Amino acid sequence: MSKNATTAEGWDEEYEAGRWAFLRSLPESGRYGIIGMWLSLTGTMENVLDIGCGEGLLYERLQPMGIKRYVGMDLSPASLKIANVDPAIASLRAADMHTFEPEPGEAFSAIVFNEVLHFADDPAALVSRYVPFLKENGVIALSMYSPKRPESGANKLINSLWQATDDESKWEVLDDYRLVSDKKGVTWRMRLVKPVK
C-alpha cells in the first residue's frame, strides 16, 4: 500500500495502477459468498450500504442474488469509475467512512464493512456510528483480514471490535466465522451482528 493510501488521491492512484485487481480472484470469493448468504437468509437484501465498496465487487456478487437497492461508498472516486453497476438499483458515492451521511430519509436493511475497518482508529466506534442508519431488524456484516501474528495491530483492532460486539446489551451476534483460505494462506474474521434496541 502506498504511503498516501489514506487520502482519496492515494487510493485513486492505487486503483488506477490495478493494485486492488486481486480482489476479483477466486480465493477472495469465499467471504463475498458468506456475506451474500447472510444477507439473503436474514432477508436484508432490500437496501444495502457497502462501506469502502471499491469497484463494487460486493454489488457484482449480490446482484444475481436479487439485491433490490445498493449504495456503495468509497473514499476513492477512481474506484467508483471502475464499478459496473446498474444505476436503476445502485448508487455510488465518494465519501469518507468517518463522516458519511445518508441522504435524508434513507435507511438500510444491511450495512457491510468488508475489509475497511483496518483504516479506522476505533472500529467499534465507527460501526456504532452507523447504527442509526439501519432500518428495523437491520444487520451489520463485518469482515477483516487477520494476520498470522496474534500481536499485530490488525488483530488488536479485530479483538477490540469483537469484544465490543460481544456486549449483549448492545449487540446480538447472529454468526461468527474464522475463514481460512489454504490457497492464499490468509485468514479473515467475519461476524454478522444486529444492534439491540
Side-chain angles (χ1 to χ4, degrees), residues 135-192:
K135 292 183 176 188
E136 187 74 25
N137 293 314
V139 299
I140 297 178
L142 310 169
S143 175
M144 297 179 75
Y145 166 74
S146 178
K148 290 179 180 160
R149 291 181 304 107
E151 71 285 356
S152 73
N155 280 324
K156 287 178 183 170
L157 289 175
I158 292 169
N159 292 338
S160 71
L161 178 57
W162 261 235
Q163 188 173 41
T165 54
D166 279 338
D167 182 345
E168 293 178 356
S169 70
K170 295 180 181 174
W171 298 99
E172 178 183 356
V173 177
L174 302 175
D175 206 357
D176 194 7
Y177 269 85
R178 187 178 309 267
L179 178 65
V180 178
S181 169
D182 291 331
K183 172 75 176 166
K184 256 191 107 136
V186 299
T187 300
W188 293 275
R189 296 293 308 274
M190 302 181 69
R191 185 172 262 196
L192 184 67

Side-chain angles (χ1 to χ4, degrees), residues 7 9 12 26 38 40 47 63 72 76 85 91 98 105 144-145 159-161 172:
T7 65
E9 294 80 16
D12 282 352
L26 195 59
W38 278 346
S40 179
N47 200 341
Q63 198 269 339
S76 166
V85 300
S91 170
H98 297 91
M144 297 179 75
Y145 166 74
N159 292 338
S160 71
L161 178 57
E172 178 183 356

Side-chain angles (χ1 to χ4, degrees), residues 87-102:
I89 63 170
S91 170
L92 301 176
R93 303 175 192 169
D96 185 310
M97 67 181 172
H98 297 91
T99 56
F100 172 82
E101 293 288 331

Side-chain angles (χ1 to χ4, degrees), residues 4 18 35 38 42 55 70 84 128 135 150 168 170 187 191:
N4 62 347
I35 293 168
W38 278 346
T42 56
E55 54 193 85
Y70 172 90
N84 182 17
S128 293
K135 292 183 176 188
E168 293 178 356
K170 295 180 181 174
T187 300
R191 185 172 262 196

